[in-house]
Amino acid sequence: MTTAPKRKHLSQRRQPAAASPGEASRRRPDLRPQHFLGLKDSTLVPTDTLLQIKDTVIDTVESRAMSVIYGDPGLGKSFSTRATIQQMNPDLILPLDFARSRPGPKDLREELFHQMRLNCKMPGTATAFDKLLREALPRRPYVIVCDEAQQYRRENFEFLRKLWDNCDPQPAIVFVGGREAYETLQSDPALASRIYIRLEILAMTEDEILKTVPDSHPVWRGVDEALLKRVDTQYALGSFREWVKVTKHVIKGMEYFNADQVDDRIIDWALARC
């Protein structure tokens, strides 16, 4: 697992110029980190995962490089990446997020066109489109964020690699996804040789659980460590997402039993619903 050597700080976020209401609402996605299941009262805890991802994203942006953040589902990769880019100028973030599975290079070209708000007609051929993107991307220090990159076909990675190769200066590109994304990148020497940082995200350890969970939501504050260990061993296994599920059910259990403290009865009830 590779991380940047030291904690870095982003410069003060610049307020973007106002866009027309129609333009802003038509294409710009919501880049804020979203708590799974809309869990209220959650607190963003500076975990090792968050700090490692922050270092990786910042180092990649400063170096105008390509990096990959990968790991199993539910470990906080997308959430932490979004939390980091919140400190950047949103007009420079080009998120390639797709509702459909298995997008192709055509989808990537069109999304980049819309995200950069290019004031021209969309080209009709791949060659003309690529020429336009190669001219437009170097004009500003853009950051291309490819979330759910395990959905990408190999030709998507090749398209972005060739685009990156032919831009001067180059955009930063951050791939975020499952192990399939990492394996695809590694299987092609031309792609693998261009990856600046490879950051594998692992499940939280028991010590990290005991430090993080009580600070993540008020319902866990003051709860016996043995109960936290039990939840993680029997169900959550160090996954942020699974802990959110349990937390949601524990809150319901507190209401159901009219209790003011988490105990074994509530844990039993919550785990039975997971």
Side-chain angles (χ1 to χ4, degrees), residues 70-77 177-180 200-203 239 241:
Y70 70 99
D72 293 333
L75 301 183
K77 302 181 299 297
R179 296 181 185 278
E180 301 94 326
E200 181 180 11
I201 300 301
L202 302 174
S239 167
R241 191 173 298 163

Side-chain angles (χ1 to χ4, degrees), residues 40-104:
K40 295 181 179 179
D41 301 321
S42 294
T43 301
L44 180 62
V45 182
T47 62
D48 285 344
T49 294
L50 175 62
L51 296 175
Q52 289 170 3
I53 289 177
K54 180 177 180 180
D55 284 348
T56 297
V57 172
I58 294 172
D59 198 354
T60 301
V61 170
E62 291 179 349
S63 302
R64 297 199 175 201
M66 291 196 296
S67 295
V68 57
I69 300 167
Y70 70 99
D72 293 333
L75 301 183
K77 302 181 299 297
S78 296
F79 185 93
S80 297
T81 301
R82 284 173 173 253
T84 298
I85 65 177
Q86 280 303 292
Q87 302 173 56
M88 301 179 182
N89 181 350
D91 283 349
L92 300 180
I93 306 298
L94 306 178
L96 299 184
D97 296 338
F98 301 94
R100 56 167 290 189
S101 62
R102 312 299 289 175

Side-chain angles (χ1 to χ4, degrees), residues 39 217 219 245-259 266 269-270 273:
L39 185 63
H217 197 279
V219 76
K245 291 180 187 177
V246 176
T247 302
K248 191 91 169 180
H249 289 305
V250 164
I251 293 171
K252 292 289 186 182
M254 301 279 282
E255 297 173 355
Y256 181 80
F257 290 105
N258 194 26
I266 292 173
W269 188 87
R273 293 165 63 89

